[in-house]
Amino acid sequence: MMQNLHVAIIMDGNGRWALHRGLPRTAGHVEGAKTVNTVVEASARAGVRTLTLYAFSADNWARPSAEVAALMRLLRRYLTTETRRCIEQSIRINIIGRRDRLSASLVRAIEHSERLTAACSRMHLRIAVDYSAQHSILQAARRAGSCAQLSTEVFHGLLAEVDHSSPCGPVDLLIRTGGEQRLSDFLLWECAYAELYFTARPWPEFGAEEFQAALVEFARRQRRFGRLADAAAGQAS
Ligand code: FPP
């Protein structure tokens, strides 16, 4: 039932979690990175096919430079420490988003992890860094030009290309932690028929149980893809 799902997560609430404890915001991100490990493992166990995590948006560059640097360091550390574990669990790592504004060393780490895990097939882990859905859609539209044969599927493929990814199907379930209920320029095209799941829990407190609860809630939803219930039954993944 949960097989072949594409789950996407907006990992929000790190800063507020830390401030509530009298800690600097970056302590929330450090704790959040631990949750990433927990949720990646829980997803693989649940048979999720693709997991896309929103780690750094194109608009996050506007945060204080110390916070930006801390986030970039955490990403780099994640790649260097977790790539081996991902290989062991056959999880393919893929960083989506722009690369032209990342440091050369981070780009090298990204390419290294992607190369080492390229053949892993149990789950596709996509981490969005310097990502903006609007930017990606614009880039893909430019690439498509005036192509008369442009279809939804072809455009999906173009988007994946622009994002340094490969076509992985639309998002089935979008989770946002931290209490806000918005998409924040994340996977706007891919979420056309996504089921939305919002929880007040901040990301550092989100765990395997909460992830499972989201999957259970998802399984209860009736997906109709704009059709009547009977006709849509065969569409669900
Ligand atoms: C949003 O919380 C979270 C982020 C901008 C960064 C997410 C990054 C991580 C979870 C850690 C690094 C990621 C990986 C993959 C190792 P916020 O800071 O906006 O929280 P707030 O809304 O409470 O201020």
Side-chain angles (χ1 to χ4, degrees), residues 11-17 25 28-30 32-33 36 53-57 60 63 67 71 74-75 78 127 178 180 203:
M11 312 182 284
D12 197 15
N14 292 348
R16 279 165 290 157
W17 178 88
R25 292 176 53 81
H29 298 316
V30 170
V36 168
L53 303 176
Y54 206 3
F56 191 88
S57 82
N60 286 151
R63 293 194 177 195
E67 183 172 344
L71 282 167
L74 276 174
L75 283 164
Y78 181 85
I127 301 176
E180 312 288 359
W203 180 248

